Amino acid sequence: MSEAIIVRDIRKSYGQTRAVDGVSFEVTEGEFFGILGPNGAGKTTTLEIIEGLRKPDGGEVQLLGMSPWPRHTSLLPRIGVQLQASSFFERLTAREQIRTWASLYGVSTRRADEMLELVGLTDKANTRIEKLSGGQAQRLSIACALAHDPEVVFLDEPTSGLDPQARRNLWDLLREINRQGRTVVLTTHYLDEAEALCERVAIMDRGKILQIGPPAALVRGLDAPTRISVESGTIAAHDARALAGDAEISDDGVSLTIATRDPARVLAALAERSALRGLSVRGATLEDVFLNLTGREYRDDD
Amino acid sequence: MTSKLDTPGRSVRTPAGAREATVAGLGSLSRAMALGFVRDRTAMFFTILFPLMFLVIFGLLFRDSGTSRSEIIQVGPVPVLDALPAEARAGVDEVLDIEQSDDLDAALEKVRTGDVDAAVEQRGNTVVVHYSAADPVSASTVQAILREIVQAANLAANPTPPRFTFEAQQVEDASLKPIQYLTPGLLGWAVATGAMFGAALTLVTWRQKKILRRLRLSPVSTPIVSGARIGVSIVIALVQGAIFVAVASLPVFGLRLSAYWWMAIPLLIAGTLAFLAIGQLAGSFTKTPEAASAVANLIVLPMAFLSGAFFPLQNAPSWLNTISSVLPLRHLVDGLLDVMVRGQGPAAVLPELGILLGFAVVVGAIAVALFRWDDA
């Protein structure tokens, strides 16, 4: 497997602000790669530099073995970029929209219509883009990005502003895109999205990458305790302490939570006492990783 | 999920390659722009209907302005008038609205109050005109007309060939009614507005909606994007021209085109290019569609007034003529007037064509230099 994207020490400043401050990573062909971070972390600027929309102040990018800057018309058909949902020609229907974009790549109208079907918008083909819902517009814009069958697909916050059902539908679509062998690079500020989709994530904050790795490995690397909760009153606090050893125990009146690094033993002990009412087990998440890396709570609007 | 997603590598792009995609891109971008325009009721209104409204209103308002007649009362028989041959009488009726009466006192009262311009009676061989000094212009008009009629009658009674004769002729074709200069003027303004707004708003909206960015990431070249805009704008301008001429030619307005009217087509194209360039420039330094349309209005409206798009500039002070000679719209309107109604030949508007194209090239080059894909 060769590298689809190689990013070496790229930098970009706007005035005093270092939007991207020495970012390096590689994306392997066929990989689903995520750049995760709060708004303003520098994700979008990083993506734009890789796509060739911006010239980095320093550093180097290789996209499919070529430099994306300056504009490269032989490279562009090999990449597919989904910008925000609003990047559509005004007053055109969904079908006219995708046919227009497809034709810019020399793609047939038949193929364009197939893409419309693929993202489940055939029944909205004659609807003007102004009348599409947020989720439909997102799916259309992804279809437009894919119509010319690109090798690398860039998605910038593809699910922001969608309702949970629309998000899950879109996730299925994105997984399918990747399963077909395309390299997918996605930025998101949703931790659950990165965990659900990406093979590897780069956690980014304030223009720098803090850590890169598979989500599960990042979480495991934290060595964070597992949080086991049961309904309050199921077990007395001192009994809980007795069976959990050095674990941290808290009770907010609704749930009694035991934070332990030895969840198997605690669960067995609870089961022995038939004290499993309202049981929930929660491992650490990327949120904990972010908290651990930055010392700050993860907030989308950061 | 279906298996319709092709695996990468199986190309869906036609191998015939870039040139084919270029042609298809030009066509589909033009189509997208044209559809966006046709479906935009506001744009349609302001580029097509709004200028047409001006044409209809002005056309109706000024329809009869060429034939304002003086009203007089004829008291009793006036043989000099009554005995006129039918042909001469028709000529007199074109300039005088003659009412018959037998009551001299009532007629004089009407002259005094300004209801009519004069009262006329004949005492023996003397034609007496009663007029009011309150309105010297119409009084002298009526006197002049009647004096001429009396002289004509003298000649007829005493047929000695006159030694000197006098004849006045209007320099324009006799058919240069207001609609004749209204149509080219308002058409020039309409085309200027359409091209300017088309360019400025497309540029700003596409930049704001990140369509430009998305285009930059597609293999389409910038000349294709500009080419589509130019093509669509030219078609819009020619449609404007056709609609204008069709409406102005309705019997109620009575536009009559002169022989070389077709020279209006290259003029409209050159004018469209010039105003596209200005619109592009306006779109280069504005960020929102609202700002772009304000700037476009700020340029095109004063220019329309100064260029004689709404009224002829023959009587304007010379400084105004000097200012207007640097405005592209002045040259567009002048050129259109020359070939559409003044009956000038194609060669007469070559300077106008050259000036408009020169404008397009110079301003267009500045606009290209200032072009930005992005807001940031």
Side-chain angles (χ1 to χ4, degrees), chain A residues 48 53-54 69 71 76-77 81 87-88 90-91 96 101 103 105 111 128 148-149 176 180 182, chain B residues 1 4-6 8 10 13 28 36 39-40 205-206 209 211 213-220:
Chain A
E48 286 172 352
L53 278 174
R54 291 180 196 285
W69 186 278
R71 193 170 178 250
L76 293 172
V81 178
S87 310
F88 288 121
E90 296 162 290
R91 292 175 287 279
E96 290 163 348
W101 284 114
S103 82
Y105 292 87
R111 161 79 185 180
R128 292 200 195 167
H148 60 286
D149 193 20
E176 179 65 16
Q180 299 286 348
R182 287 183 184 79
Chain B
M1 227 36 57
K4 284 231 172 71
L5 269 174
D6 296 283
R10 202 208 86 174
R13 280 165 263 134
S28 60
R39 289 175 188 170
D40 182 353
T205 312
W206 283 22
K209 290 195 158 241
I211 296 172
R213 228 168 201 245
R214 183 67 187 75
L215 282 172
R216 188 188 186 182
L217 290 170
S218 78
V220 72

Side-chain angles (χ1 to χ4, degrees), chain B residues 52-104:
Chain B
L52 211 56
M53 264 167 50
F54 272 67
L55 182 78
V56 169
I57 292 169
F58 285 168
L60 291 176
L61 271 182
F62 300 136
R63 190 156 54 118
D64 295 323
S65 70
T67 57
S68 91
R69 299 191 296 174
S70 302
E71 289 175 52
I72 65 168
I73 299 178
Q74 173 186 341
V75 184
V78 177
V80 168
L81 286 175
D82 297 340
L84 280 174
E87 197 185 318
R89 178 70 201 210
V92 170
D93 283 342
E94 253 182 40
V95 288
L96 292 181
D97 181 3
I98 304 171
E99 186 188 320
Q100 302 286 341
S101 165
D102 287 324
D103 187 342
L104 181 62

Side-chain angles (χ1 to χ4, degrees), chain B residues 331-344:
Chain B
H331 298 283
L332 178 59
V333 170
D334 266 0
L336 289 175
L337 267 171
D338 282 349
V339 294
M340 288 174 75
V341 299
R342 284 187 189 140
Q344 307 252 32

